[in-house]
Amino acid sequence: MGIIGAVLAAIGLAVGVYWGLERLGAKAWLPTALRGTAWLALGLLLLDLSCAKPPDAARPLVLLDASLSAAGSGGRWIEAKQEAARLGEIRLIGALGADSSPVGGRSAVVAAVSAAAASGRPVWLVTDGEIEDAGDLPADVLAETGVKVFARSRRPDLALVRVGGPERMSVGDTLHLELDVTGVDVADRNRVIIEVSSGETRWFSAPVGLTSGSGSAVISGVPPKSVAAGRHLLTVALQDAADSEPRTDRRLHAITVLPTPGIVIVANPASWESRFLFRTIGEVAALPVRGYFAIDRSRWARMGDLAPVSAAEVDRAVAGADLLVQIGDPTERTRRSRARGRWDWVATSRASAVTDGDWYLMPGGVSPVSGAFIGLPVDSFPPAAGLATLTPGPRDWVGLAGQQNRRGGERAAVIGRDSAGRREVVVGATGLWRWAFRGGQSEQAYRAWVAATTTWLLGASDSTTGRARPVHPVVSQGRPVIFERLRPDLSVLRIELRGPGGSRSDTLRFDGAGRAELLLTPGRYDYRLEGGGTGLLGVEVYSDEWLFRPVAIQERAATAAVPPGQAPLRDQLWLFGLAIAALSGEWWWRRRAGLR
């Protein structure tokens, strides 16, 4: 009735204008028809009446799981794709860009299924069932969603699922790598050989014991002398895995080999202070750490293994250090150091005037290291055994202050300064190793203070420089490389890449969290950022999707049949075009007839 009323109203108004007001007689047929058509179209749009949806609008949406597992060993991608095409209109889940192959690095379906359910159309999910977030699917959404499962057939597989290790090491250092190996239906294997290489250069190999086909180990080895300083992308591979999925047998690990240690500790002579500091820095610092202590004027030994070393080796390490830590009496070689950061424990020098006693320490106010002491009862920790006189400058910060026997005035115990791009921290207290020796909160405070001081002294000493850096230099196949910006005002940044397919340019677009994603195919990439900054990226052939996982969702039929329903007339774009065409035609006729 609404449409009939609109038609009658449009005809009546148009006839009234041209036959009643204008009195055009026989000439009024064409403009009457044009105006009536225009008013009818506008009236229908204003009333926003509805009409039945076309049959195609009720065609089911089919969400096809396009994660890598569908193309893994035992996968049934072709069958799943054919079934999805038979069920309805296909939407891929996990596909990267316009790729219609199973290349997604994750099997997450909750967001896609929930959005499809809100469309008002029947929904089907076609998957291999190895879904990581199946337990998060809302029950009401799952109840109305049909599921077709094309599960993979399980086959024997031995996989190197984790490789962990340092990001930096010095030439000649021993490399330690942590490994996890997992097997499926390979219980008869009791060990496997792991080989570490870089390009065509073999670094070392080591066995890993297996129990029921799985095992964890730390393997160690010294790279050959032919390995030069610089960036390297290590390949850590299972040898003779003899399984169904070779793509799980190799992992990548990015490492930078430095010509000299990043952090050098020189103790003259050795002391409890140097022993605890060397151990703690080695645990909390990201750079390689090397320590030396003097036996006498001409003899030196290396901390850790106590191996004797020459004075020339100590000179080379001091000359190339990013951070130099001096404990005890300084030598001529440490005075000449041009390290970007210096950490001088002046109270341990025999030339310093130290006031002995029980010096209870406390945070000295706002400083780069004050966060290490938040919420901790520092003044109840073991007291320092002595305190040298330190005079902070107008721009120096005080990290710790001391008070003798908890009485009298406070004196600076740790100060820091940043002058002309060179940072320095001076420690005037002795006996701080007692914090680490006691354990508990005092040990945690000691570790946090050492970590905060080291971080501040090193500043921006990361080998990857520039206005952005990758969060992880190595990612699995199907996962994006994520860059984080180092300047808050940065929104876009050009990047040049040289990889398996040659050279290419791209743009990093940072979101509100300061991160940008870059999708790359497997291989090694050397990159250069606009405005300076270079680095190395690795994209593995490995993916967690290749591993056999339990089927987490059961096959079921769709229980909710969605009727064709009604659609508003405003969804019909042709009505807008009809109104515009009719009004334009009427305007043209009136101009030709001399009417306004």
Side-chain angles (χ1 to χ4, degrees):
M1 294 298 295
I3 295 179
I4 296 176
V7 170
L8 295 177
I11 294 175
L13 290 173
V15 169
V17 169
Y18 283 104
W19 293 81
L21 296 178
E22 300 285 356
R23 298 183 181 277
L24 296 180
K27 296 180 180 181
W29 287 109
L30 181 57
T32 300
L34 291 173
R35 177 164 292 194
T37 301
W39 281 355
L40 174 61
L42 292 174
L44 293 176
L45 291 172
L46 289 173
L47 293 174
D48 194 24
L49 302 174
S50 60
C51 60
K53 291 182 180 178
D56 287 346
R59 192 182 182 200
L61 275 177
V62 183
L63 306 178
L64 178 58
D65 183 4
S67 56
L68 284 167
S69 59
S73 176
R76 300 163 62 188
W77 169 251
I78 300 299
E79 296 177 60
K81 192 174 181 180
Q82 291 173 346
E83 178 65 13
R86 185 189 68 80
L87 288 173
E89 183 180 347
I90 297 177
R91 295 285 189 273
L92 296 181
I93 303 177
L96 303 179
D99 204 319
S100 59
S101 302
V103 293
R106 294 187 61 190
S107 292
V109 303
V110 169
V113 172
S114 299
S119 68
R121 296 168 61 178
V123 178
W124 283 91
L125 173 63
V126 180
T127 175
D128 58 11
E130 300 178 16
I131 300 172
E132 62 187 66
D133 60 352
D136 297 329
L137 275 169
D140 57 335
V141 173
L142 182 60
E144 297 182 356
T145 302
V147 180
K148 290 286 186 179
V149 178
F150 291 85
R152 292 196 289 171
S153 56
R154 291 173 67 89
R155 299 172 182 177
D157 181 45
L158 198 62
L160 183 58
V161 296
R162 187 181 74 90
V163 174
E167 296 181 358
R168 302 173 182 85
M169 63 179 294
S170 299
V171 172
D173 281 354
T174 299
L175 175 62
H176 303 279
L177 294 176
E178 300 175 357
L179 308 175
D180 287 341
V181 180
T182 297
V184 175
D185 299 333
V186 288
D188 57 327
R189 296 288 295 270
N190 55 23
R191 77 172 212 162
V192 67
I193 301 298
I194 304 292
E195 182 176 277
V196 181
S197 61
S198 175
E200 300 298 326
T201 304
R202 179 180 175 276
W203 284 34
F204 60 89
S205 62
V208 174
L210 302 179
T211 302
S212 300
S214 301
S216 300
V218 176
I219 62 172
S220 304
V222 179
K225 294 182 179 180
S226 59
V227 174
R231 300 184 182 100
H232 298 269
L233 189 62
L234 301 183
T235 300
V236 185
L238 295 170
Q239 297 299 300
D240 301 323
D243 57 13
S244 63
E245 185 53 89
R247 290 170 291 192
T248 62
D249 300 343
R250 291 175 175 267
R251 303 300 303 269
L252 301 178
H253 181 72
I255 192 167
T256 301
V257 179
L258 303 175
T260 57
I263 301 175
V264 175
I265 302 175
V266 179
N268 182 24
S271 62
W272 288 103
E273 207 76 75
S274 62
R275 176 182 296 184
F276 279 91
L277 184 64
F278 173 72
R279 186 188 69 181
T280 304
I281 288 184
E283 293 172 350
V284 303
L287 289 174
V289 181
R290 188 73 55 83
Y292 303 94
F293 63 91
I295 301 175
D296 54 37
R297 286 191 174 184
S298 59
R299 293 193 301 160
W300 291 82
R302 191 164 52 226
M303 295 182 186
D305 58 7
L306 306 182
V309 297
S310 65
E313 179 180 331
V314 180
D315 288 343
R316 288 193 299 270
V318 170
D322 284 314
L323 170 58
L324 177 63
V325 183
Q326 170 64 53
I327 300 177
D329 295 328
T331 63
E332 186 61 30
R333 62 177 59 87
T334 58
R335 291 191 183 97
R336 296 195 306 265
S337 173
R338 293 184 174 273
R340 71 182 69 193
R342 285 187 64 101
W343 195 349
D344 291 328
W345 293 64
V346 297
T348 59
S349 172
R350 286 179 287 235
S352 297
V354 178
T355 304
D356 295 330
D358 289 337
W359 291 90
Y360 291 88
L361 304 179
M362 62 200 72
V366 178
S367 71
V369 300
S370 59
F373 309 117
I374 293 177
L376 296 176
V378 179
D379 59 349
S380 66
F381 293 166
L387 196 64
T389 301
L390 298 180
T391 305
R395 296 187 178 181
D396 297 349
W397 51 262
V398 178
L400 286 170
Q403 191 178 39
Q404 191 172 22
N405 298 322
R406 293 196 176 97
R407 294 191 298 269
E410 296 180 5
R411 288 169 51 181
V414 176
I415 63 174
R417 60 178 62 97
D418 189 347
S419 177
R422 181 173 178 173
R423 295 182 173 182
E424 181 181 11
V425 170
V426 180
V427 180
T430 61
L432 285 177
W433 60 270
R434 298 175 179 178
W435 287 16
F437 182 78
R438 181 177 179 179
Q441 286 186 319
S442 63
E443 182 185 15
Q444 296 305 314
Y446 183 81
R447 290 173 58 87
W449 171 65
V450 170
T453 303
T454 303
T455 300
W456 183 79
L457 286 169
L458 289 171
S461 62
D462 196 296
S463 60
T464 301
T465 58
R467 293 185 286 174
R469 63 187 174 196
V471 176
H472 300 290
V474 174
V475 297
S476 301
Q477 183 179 175
R479 296 292 187 95
V481 179
I482 299 177
F483 281 81
E484 61 180 3
R485 64 189 179 196
L486 301 179
R487 287 175 41 184
D489 60 336
L490 192 64
S491 58
V492 294
L493 184 65
R494 296 289 297 173
I495 183 172
E496 302 289 335
L497 297 155
R498 187 173 72 252
S503 299
R504 54 171 280 202
S505 298
D506 212 320
T507 302
L508 300 176
R509 303 185 185 278
F510 297 94
D511 57 19
R515 296 196 167 191
E517 295 185 354
L518 187 64
L519 293 172
L520 299 172
T521 56
R524 171 194 168 119
Y525 295 85
D526 295 288
Y527 71 85
R528 180 180 298 276
L529 297 174
E530 179 184 9
T534 61
L536 171 67
L537 300 173
V539 181
E540 300 177 300
V541 174
Y542 172 90
S543 172
D544 289 340
E545 289 289 314
W546 302 133
L547 305 176
F548 289 101
R549 293 171 295 176
V551 174
I553 193 169
Q554 300 300 317
E555 189 166 297
R556 54 177 291 120
T559 59
V562 180
Q566 303 291 316
L569 279 178
R570 288 179 186 174
D571 290 345
Q572 308 298 322
L573 296 180
W574 64 269
L575 274 177
F576 292 89
L578 178 63
I580 294 172
L583 289 174
S584 300
E586 182 191 5
W587 174 84
W588 173 82
W589 185 91
R590 291 179 67 87
R591 296 289 293 179
R592 291 290 302 269
L595 300 175
R596 292 186 178 183

